[in-house]
Amino acid sequence: MANGRLLDLSPTIIRDLRILLDTSSLLHQDAGEFIQRHLAPLAAEIAQPLVIPHRVVTEIEKHTNSQDADLKASAVRASALIEHLRTEGRADFFGGSESTFADNVMQMVMVRFAEKYHFLLLTQDRALAADS
């Protein structure tokens, strides 16, 4: 970390950067701390909110009813984090009624806007990272 920052990016990249969050990262036990400590300041620096597809929110809401106690706890924590980001105006939500996986929505967005923006995708999903 240069200068205590998560990333040392050129002004050209920062100007057009969009930060996308996926389901797996929001479900991670340290997501809240990581977002507040690193991503929220970066989002403020680039004057852009964090970007979360509606499909990610739907997946997390579904997991709040999981029979798996650990997944349910992670989903409840992620849901509270999303609401906190929404309330503070630190997140922007996009997407319509796509009946596809959040991974597909992420990929479609990055392809569609690849010539206009640089994307930082926060994911724990190795397959999504490799495909993106």
Side-chain angles (χ1 to χ4, degrees):
M1 282 191 252
N3 304 322
R5 291 175 46 205
L6 176 64
L7 299 171
D8 189 20
L9 301 172
S10 75
T12 304
I13 290 176
I14 286 178
R15 181 185 66 232
D16 298 324
L17 184 65
R18 299 300 179 270
I19 304 169
L20 301 172
L21 303 178
D22 86 330
T23 307
S24 62
S25 290
L26 287 164
L27 289 172
H28 192 277
Q29 65 184 10
D30 297 323
E33 179 182 350
F34 183 81
I35 288 170
Q36 295 300 331
R37 182 177 289 173
H38 299 290
L39 293 185
L42 179 58
E45 181 179 345
I46 64 175
Q48 294 293 330
L50 302 170
V51 181
I52 305 172
H54 286 296
R55 189 71 184 119
V56 166
V57 176
T58 301
E59 286 182 1
I60 289 172
E61 287 173 356
K62 178 185 81 173
H63 292 314
T64 62
N65 297 314
S66 176
Q67 297 300 312
D68 179 323
D70 291 337
L71 179 57
K72 182 176 183 173
S74 294
V76 168
R77 187 176 52 247
S79 186
L81 175 58
I82 289 168
E83 187 54 35
H84 176 76
L85 293 170
R86 182 189 324 261
T87 300
E88 287 190 345
R90 291 185 178 201
D92 190 19
F93 302 87
F94 73 90
S97 58
E98 298 93 354
S99 59
T100 185
F101 295 105
D103 293 6
N104 294 349
V105 174
M106 296 281 195
Q107 291 170 333
M108 288 186 295
V109 167
M110 288 187 285
V111 168
R112 180 175 177 198
F113 296 104
E115 291 185 22
K116 187 173 183 180
Y117 301 117
H118 299 284
F119 290 99
L120 183 143
L121 172 62
L122 186 67
T123 185
Q124 306 301 307
D125 183 335
R126 293 176 192 258
L128 175 60
D131 290 344
S132 300

